[in-house]
Every structure is written in C-alpha cells, then in structure tokens.
C-alpha cells in the first residue's frame, strides 16, 4: 500500500511538473519531472511484482492488467519524450496511470490463474498486452493530432502553442504506431486462433469479434494511408473508434464479471 501511494504521488508530481511548465517560457523542470517519473515507474514495478505474483498463482485481475498496461504506456512515453515532443500527452498518461494504481490499492480484486501455464498462452497474452499498449498510445496521438488541428484553426495564440509538437511530426508518429500496433494485433489474433481452443467460445466470443472489427479498421487505416495517402479527420475518427472498440473488447467483459456481477 505504501509503495502504491508513493508511486501515485511521484506520478502526480511528474504530471504537474509538465503541466506547470507549459505555461512557462523556459518550459518544464526536466530534472524534477524526469526524476519523479523514474521513481514512480520503479515503484510501480515493485507494486506490480507484488500484486500480480501471489504464491503459486498470478492475480490477473482487471485492475492489475490495466495497471500493467498503464506501466507499459508510461515507460514508452517517458522514453519517447527524449526524442519526440509529447508534453501534452505525458500528464494524461501519468495521471491516468496514477489513477489506475490508486484504484488497484483501494479496490483490490482477484482473478487467479496458475503460473505454470502453456508457453503458447504466454505468447498470446504478451502479444495482446503489447498490441493494446501500442495502439493505446496511437489513440493518444490521434487525440493530440485532433487537438493540434483544432488549435491551429483558432485565431488567438495560446500559451500552450510553444509546447505543441509540429503537426506533421505527430501524424508521422501516429502512422508508425498504427502500423506497429496493427502488426502486433494481427500476431495476437493469429496466435489466439492457432493455440487457443475457446477464441470463439461463449466467454470470449464478444472479445474476439470486437478485436477483429478493431483489427479490420486499423488495417483499413494503414492500407489506406500507404496506398491512397489517407490522412486528416477521417483517420483520426477511425483511430479513435478502433481504440474504443479494442478497449471494450479487452476490458468490457472483465468489468462486467469483476465489478458489476461480483
């Protein structure tokens, strides 16, 4: 509990540091922001190792899985910040991860599975986690792209403009993420159909169908951009729609089972 609370505090310090820096000419305090983010991520790692591994089993509850994905996204965005300007997204990522961590500490839930599972299942789960994390980041970049488009159409300059990355750079990163995420999602679905027996079973049917619809939308986006140069509002809208469907597929049933029914 103490590690969770400490990690939440450092995540919030990192987020607030970035937000405050948006309104300063010299920008955010990078030393404070980076140090706080590193400490928060390390503490979060310890929390996950203690909450997921419980004796001979793994606690893959809804909040634990969401916290793991939040950790993956936080690490990725933190590393990416050294090369790309993503000051607008960092507070959202850190704040949301802190919220997930706090919820996991205050609302413990359990979904225990055996540690000694088949390697093919581990492969499928790993691909699924990385695919969702990558496409979640693309979802954030799509929202950022929509925000930049909106701000560029306004006549009045904003203090936030100094921290906004170039439109073309964000769009370029978005399509790179979409291509990587779609490839990972393709491998995840393929491994599921190859190695799992219940992909179309009663408990997983809705998840599989929603994931396939999201995969189809993502594939259309990637192919449309590569073949026909699609870009702009349609791409943003389709990316957000696919991200919402994928989230519903990944967490919808777990939310119903663990929260509403239990």
């Amino acid at each position: 509990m103490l590690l969770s609370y400490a990690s939440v505090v450092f995540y919030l310090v990192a987020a607030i540091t970035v937000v405050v820096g948006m309104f300063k000419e010299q920008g955010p305090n990078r030393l404070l922001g980076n140090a706080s983010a590193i400490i928060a991520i390390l503490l979060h790692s310890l929390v996950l190792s203690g909450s997921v591994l419980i004796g001979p089993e793994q606690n893959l509850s809804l909040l634990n899985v969401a916290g793991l994905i939040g950790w993956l996204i936080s690490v990725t965005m933190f590393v990416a910040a050294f090369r790309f300007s993503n000051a607008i997204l960092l507070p959202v990522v850190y704040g949301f991860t802190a919220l997930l961590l706090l919820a996991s500490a205050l609302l413990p839930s359990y979904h225990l599975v055996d540690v000694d599972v088949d390697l093919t299942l581990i492969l499928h789960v790993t691909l699924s986690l990385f695919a969702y994390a990558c496409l979640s980041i693309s979802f954030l970049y799509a929202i950022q792209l929509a925000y930049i488009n909106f701000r560029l159409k306004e006549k009045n300059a904003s203090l936030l403009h100094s921290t906004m990355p170039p439109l073309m750079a964000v769009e370029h990163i978005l399509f790179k993420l979409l291509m990587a995420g779609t490839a990972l999602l393709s491998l995840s679905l393929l491994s599921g159909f190859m190695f799992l027996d219940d992909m179309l079973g009663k408990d997983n049917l809705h998840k599989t169908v929603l994931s396939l619809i999201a995969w189809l939308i993502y594939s259309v986006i990637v192919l449309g951009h590569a073949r026909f140069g699609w870009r702009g509002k349609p791409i943003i809208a389709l990316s957000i729609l696919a991200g919402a469907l994928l989230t519903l597929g990944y967490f919808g049933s777990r939310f119903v089972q663990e929260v509403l029914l239990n």
Side-chain angles (χ1 to χ4, degrees):
M1 293 289 286
L2 291 177
L3 287 177
S4 297
Y5 294 146
S7 181
V8 168
V9 169
F10 280 107
Y11 270 128
L12 293 179
V13 170
I16 293 171
T17 300
V18 176
V19 171
V20 171
M22 290 180 180
F23 299 94
K24 292 183 178 180
E25 186 177 351
Q26 66 272 25
N29 186 331
R30 291 185 176 275
L31 179 61
L32 176 61
N34 290 341
S36 300
I38 290 173
I39 296 173
I41 289 170
L42 291 176
L43 291 175
H44 194 174
S45 304
L46 295 176
V47 172
L48 287 173
S49 64
S51 61
V52 173
L53 297 177
I54 302 178
E57 295 176 310
Q58 291 178 332
N59 180 16
L60 297 180
S61 67
L62 172 67
L63 289 174
N64 278 351
V65 173
L68 177 58
I69 292 174
W71 180 85
L72 286 172
I73 295 174
S74 296
V75 172
T76 304
M77 295 299 289
F78 173 76
V79 174
F82 289 95
R83 182 173 181 182
F84 307 109
S85 177
N86 56 6
I88 297 177
L89 297 179
L90 283 177
V92 177
V93 171
Y94 293 155
F96 188 66
T97 303
L99 183 63
L100 290 174
L101 191 56
L102 184 62
S104 181
L106 297 177
L107 304 170
S109 58
Y110 298 93
H111 180 77
L112 302 180
V113 298
D114 292 332
V115 173
D116 190 18
V117 294
D118 190 82
L119 289 178
T120 56
L121 177 60
I122 296 177
L123 174 64
H124 172 70
V125 172
T126 302
L127 288 171
S128 299
L129 287 174
F130 278 98
Y132 184 76
C134 185
L135 291 171
S136 295
I137 297 173
S138 73
F139 177 87
L140 293 173
Y141 269 90
I143 294 178
Q144 181 179 226
L145 188 62
Y147 175 76
I148 294 175
N149 271 322
F150 171 76
R151 298 299 292 178
L152 289 176
K153 293 179 180 179
E154 288 191 344
K155 296 181 180 179
N156 297 326
S158 170
L159 289 174
L160 292 175
H161 280 181
S162 60
T163 60
M164 284 201 305
L167 178 68
M168 297 301 294
V170 174
E171 191 174 67
H172 177 72
I173 297 171
L174 171 62
F175 284 114
K176 291 292 185 182
L177 289 168
L178 287 173
M179 285 190 288
T182 303
L184 288 170
L185 183 59
S186 302
L187 293 175
S188 171
L189 291 171
L190 181 62
S191 65
F193 282 112
M194 288 178 61
F195 304 129
L196 303 183
D197 297 327
D198 58 346
M199 281 288 284
L200 296 177
K202 181 180 178 181
D203 292 336
N204 293 322
L205 180 61
H206 62 284
K207 175 183 176 181
T208 302
V209 170
L210 289 173
S211 298
L212 285 171
I213 295 173
W215 172 82
L216 181 62
I217 296 174
Y218 282 126
S219 300
V220 169
I221 294 172
V222 172
L223 292 176
H225 175 70
R227 292 286 301 273
F228 307 108
W230 292 355
R231 58 197 308 174
K233 290 183 179 180
I235 296 298
I236 295 173
L238 288 174
S239 299
I240 294 175
L241 174 61
L245 289 173
L246 196 62
T247 299
L248 187 61
Y250 271 57
F251 294 108
S253 61
R254 297 288 294 277
F255 179 80
V256 172
Q257 293 172 4
E258 296 186 28
V259 180
L260 298 183
L261 298 181
N262 188 18

